[in-house]
Amino acid sequence: EEWTTMLADKEEEERLWTLAYVDALTGCYNRHLAGQVLEKYSAASKDYCLCFVDLDHLKTANDKFGHQEGDRVIRFVASILKENINGIVGRNGGDEFLFCLAAVDSKTTIENEIRTVFEKLQEGLINLETGERMSIPCSIGIFAENGSQLHYSYMVQGADAAMYQAKELGKNTYYLNYN
């Protein structure tokens, strides 16, 4: 009986942890946990870059096809990021994600990984209502300081600014700020 009580307590603890730290829609880390993990990572590593992804026209898709389809798009983006990123992926909220690329040693390495993700998002997914393939337009901002160990908040500001730079370039592109 004591064993089953301990097991039930452990399951409840895991359930509460998941509710507190995992985004229910995507299964990614939520903003809070992603921030904590990335902050610890940035304190220990120099060889990573921080990236923000913002879906460019999700409101239009929600208005045209409904929020269920919009949720499907968000889940699709999360799956592409989780499958193709060698690092931490979190949902920043709404239609924004943040992630880090780990073990990046050059601008070329970063661009190759980002290009892969970007191309898979452009391939898109099948719209269940129309049967058409929907490209997922997005703006990706990447911030990296070669060989520097920088505070997480500085990296976040840099990635956010890079994402807005991608939007200013006309959206549906990526912008790498690599120093």
Side-chain angles (χ1 to χ4, degrees), residues 1-16:
E1 193 172 305
E2 186 175 315
W3 174 251
T4 56
T5 302
M6 284 175 37
L7 187 57
D9 288 348
K10 181 70 174 160
E11 288 172 355
E12 180 64 7
E13 183 180 319
E14 287 176 13
R15 188 184 74 78
L16 291 173

Side-chain angles (χ1 to χ4, degrees), residues 95-112:
D95 62 352
E96 258 188 23
F97 292 85
L98 70 143
F99 63 92
C100 84
L101 296 176
V104 291
D105 55 2
S106 71
K107 186 175 181 179
T108 304
T109 303
I110 295 168
E111 287 178 329
N112 288 341

Side-chain angles (χ1 to χ4, degrees), residues 18 21-31 33-34 74-75 77-79 81-82 89-92 97-98:
T18 299
Y21 295 114
V22 175
D23 178 65
L25 181 62
T26 64
C28 293
Y29 290 158
N30 66 16
R31 179 182 187 161
L33 183 60
I74 289 170
R75 284 192 302 271
V77 171
S79 71
L81 294 175
K82 289 189 288 188
V89 177
R91 184 169 177 208
N92 206 35
F97 292 85
L98 70 143

Side-chain angles (χ1 to χ4, degrees), residues 16-94:
L16 291 173
W17 187 91
T18 299
L19 284 172
Y21 295 114
V22 175
D23 178 65
L25 181 62
T26 64
C28 293
Y29 290 158
N30 66 16
R31 179 182 187 161
H32 179 73
L33 183 60
Q36 284 185 335
V37 172
L38 288 168
E39 194 164 349
K40 286 180 182 171
Y41 191 82
S42 70
S45 178
K46 294 179 183 179
D47 62 345
Y48 82 103
C49 68
L50 194 63
C51 310
F52 272 7
V53 177
D54 184 73
L55 307 184
D56 288 329
H57 303 290
L58 186 64
K59 183 180 178 349
T60 304
N62 279 339
D63 291 347
K64 187 173 182 181
F65 301 111
H67 283 84
Q68 283 185 320
E69 192 67 10
D71 286 352
R72 215 172 133 251
V73 168
I74 289 170
R75 284 192 302 271
F76 173 76
V77 171
S79 71
I80 293 295
L81 294 175
K82 289 189 288 188
E83 290 167 12
N84 293 280
I85 297 301
N86 175 26
I88 296 149
V89 177
R91 184 169 177 208
N92 206 35

